[in-house]
Amino acid sequence: MTADMTRLTAVQMAEALRVGEITSVDLVRAHLDRIDAVDGGEAGLNAFLHVSRDEALATAEEVDAIRAAGGAEAEALHPLAGVPIAIKDLIVTVGQPTTAGSKMLEDWMSPYDATVVERIRAAKLPILGKTNLDEFAMGSSTEHSAYGVTRNPWDTDRIPGGSGGGSAAAVAAFEAPLALGTDTGGSIRQPGAVTGTVGTKPTYGSVSRYGAIAMASSLDQIGPVARTTEDAALLHELIAGHDPKDSTSLPDEVPAFGEAARTTDVSGLRIGVIKQLQGEGYQDGVLARFQESLDALREAGAEIVEVDCPSFEHALSAYYLIMPSEASSNLARFDGVRYGARVEPEDGPLTIERVMGATRAAGFGDEVKRRIILGTYALSAGYYDAYYGSAQKVRTLIQRDFAAAFEQADVLISPTAPTVAFPLGEKLDDPLAMYLNDVATIPANLAGIPGISVPGGLSDGLPVGIQFLAPAREDARAYRAAGALETLLTADAEPLWAQAPELSTAAAQTAGE
Ligand code: GLN
């Protein structure tokens, strides 16, 4: 087991480490080599903005030493100790830069770790580095990063989804077995769908947001990115749990998500197909894979029912008022004084307004500016009730739709994204077309409920994602359904993650130069 060490699930890697078949140092080296081979250069994936070679190897050495010594300390190691992980560059880390994909935070180093990072360090998962994203997590394609686009390993001329395209591409391309993402409107699930990986948006408040750079605080959640539901579930268990540093953190015990993901029994499970999240706007290939998933679940004994969520029609409009409103307030902190970039006007007086203006003009990209303007307008006196107020009412209606749907069904199901990965550049000049990618993922954020995207097969050689949604605090139920579908779809087929094409030699060669 050498060259193929990266082509395993996290659970398989953990087992190989536990029995001493491989060492964590070898495992980390194999991933660093893979990153060197495919990530850099003109045609490279650019999934990573920063690679923390020394730190990852130091953690790996520490885990190997503990294992070699045996005894109580080795026994007490976390099951995922020694398995490497990548972190979305929106989550702050001591000793590694955090840019949020923005020039505003170029070279900025956080003085503290996010709570999820603290937990990952305590469990001794070597951190490989920080992954690319749309600037401040605003986007669905990772094309809005100030540090270049990330490419989709399934077709390097296509987008890897967004905003967490870097984390998804890294996992799909065997650069990392696990990653962390953030999901405000779909940024874990939609990249998961278009890269053939698994991504979870946990129940709002169940994973600490402390140290995730705020985009829209009432919607943001950190969550796991992985190859299988079980891998995602185990990482989810590790990062979840109460955190006094996050005022919206739930006090709940963390359920055994891994166990739920391993359950393959769906008999009697009522699965609700959301009427509004299919049909017009969804590609035929996506709908075909969706239908096959429903058939497989039905055959396995699940009861498939249709649920009606009429307010979902307005979910996108409500999201694109609430999200920019909160972002316009959250991003006010980037003022050229407190954090990161500072640009002084070339001539004229050095007033705070002028420094702030020059800094924000130079530091933010177009999409971020668009949303700050939108949000500021929506919150302004005179328009507040008409825009922000109405959007909040729609939010309540969406929550009611979900409540009614969960009376009829235990979990809900839909395609994760309406299309497969689209070509780079295709929607870059059309914000509305870009926003439409999140039509199926946004309702969960507006309601605070958990959602998981799992691979549902290929359409024209590109991955399709299937989304499961569950009531708040019932993430385990979503894992159960998602794990069962994964088992059904891989009964006679190789899992999708293992089918990811070798990167074209052109990409690999340029990247390796
Ligand atoms: N694509 C959505 C947006 O642009 C969601 C982003 C996210 O979840 N961070 O707002």
Side-chain angles (χ1 to χ4, degrees), residues 88 90 133-141 144 161-164 182-191 215-216 219-221 316 319-320 323-324 367 371 434-435 437-438 441-442 445:
K88 185 180 185 180
L90 193 70
L133 68 156
D134 287 296
E135 186 176 3
F136 287 105
M138 299 180 191
S140 311
S141 67
H144 294 308
S163 64
T182 64
D183 193 312
T184 301
S187 285
I188 292 176
R189 290 163 288 158
Q190 183 257 2
M215 178 192 187
L219 304 162
D220 299 342
Q221 255 314 270
L316 208 63
Y319 174 85
Y320 277 101
M323 184 261 124
E367 183 61 26
R371 297 197 194 192
M434 188 70 91
Y435 297 169
N437 291 296
D438 304 310
T441 46
I442 277 172
N445 300 78

Side-chain angles (χ1 to χ4, degrees), residues 212-374:
I213 295 176
M215 178 192 187
S217 311
S218 77
L219 304 162
D220 299 342
Q221 255 314 270
I222 293 177
V225 179
R227 292 192 184 120
T228 66
T229 40
E230 190 186 1
D231 285 2
L234 293 176
L235 179 55
H236 190 164
E237 274 182 36
L238 168 56
I239 58 173
H242 182 67
D243 178 14
K245 290 180 187 148
D246 173 356
S247 62
T248 58
S249 174
L250 294 168
D252 307 4
E253 286 288 310
V254 181
F257 296 131
E259 204 178 300
R262 281 189 294 271
T263 322
T264 52
D265 180 18
V266 282
S267 55
L269 192 72
R270 294 174 307 161
I271 301 180
V273 178
I274 304 169
K275 194 168 139 197
Q276 282 73 13
L277 300 185
Q278 49 182 324
E280 207 193 324
Y282 289 77
Q283 282 175 345
D284 290 345
V286 170
L287 292 176
R289 294 300 85 75
F290 180 57
Q291 206 51 52
E292 285 162 17
S293 296
L294 292 181
D295 293 344
L297 289 162
R298 192 183 290 113
E299 246 173 70
E303 189 189 329
I304 310 287
V305 298
E306 190 176 76
V307 297
D308 195 14
C309 296
S311 308
F312 283 22
E313 203 187 311
H314 308 294
L316 208 63
S317 322
Y319 174 85
Y320 277 101
L321 285 168
I322 294 170
M323 184 261 124
S325 297
E326 292 188 22
S328 70
S329 162
N330 274 324
L331 270 57
R333 74 191 65 181
F334 300 103
D335 56 5
V337 178
R338 285 175 287 191
Y339 304 89
R342 174 187 175 91
V343 177
E344 296 185 352
E346 282 186 4
D347 39 42
L350 204 60
T351 63
I352 178 74
E353 285 86 2
R354 298 185 77 243
V355 171
M356 225 184 265
T359 300
R360 290 166 71 86
F364 289 140
D366 288 350
E367 183 61 26
V368 174
K369 286 178 185 159
R370 180 180 296 125
R371 297 197 194 192
I372 291 174
I373 292 168
L374 201 65

Side-chain angles (χ1 to χ4, degrees), residues 34-35 38-39 44-48 86 131-132 141-142 149-156 158-180 187-188 190-197 225-227 500 503:
R34 178 72 182 165
I35 294 169
V38 302
D39 211 66
L45 295 180
N46 196 32
F48 281 86
T131 56
N132 201 8
S141 67
T142 317
V149 303
T150 293
R151 295 169 183 276
N152 189 324
W154 287 82
D155 177 345
T156 53
R158 290 178 187 261
I159 59 105
S163 64
S167 282
V171 171
F174 306 102
E175 295 175 275
L178 296 170
L180 286 186
S187 285
I188 292 176
Q190 183 257 2
V194 301
T195 58
T197 53
V225 179
R227 292 192 184 120
L503 289 163

Side-chain angles (χ1 to χ4, degrees), residues 3 85 94 101 157 171 225 242 253 256 268 273 458 472 488 492 494 498 503:
I85 188 167
V94 169
D157 291 327
V171 171
V225 179
H242 182 67
E253 286 288 310
V273 178
L458 298 174
L488 291 168
D492 328 292
E494 234 191 335
L503 289 163

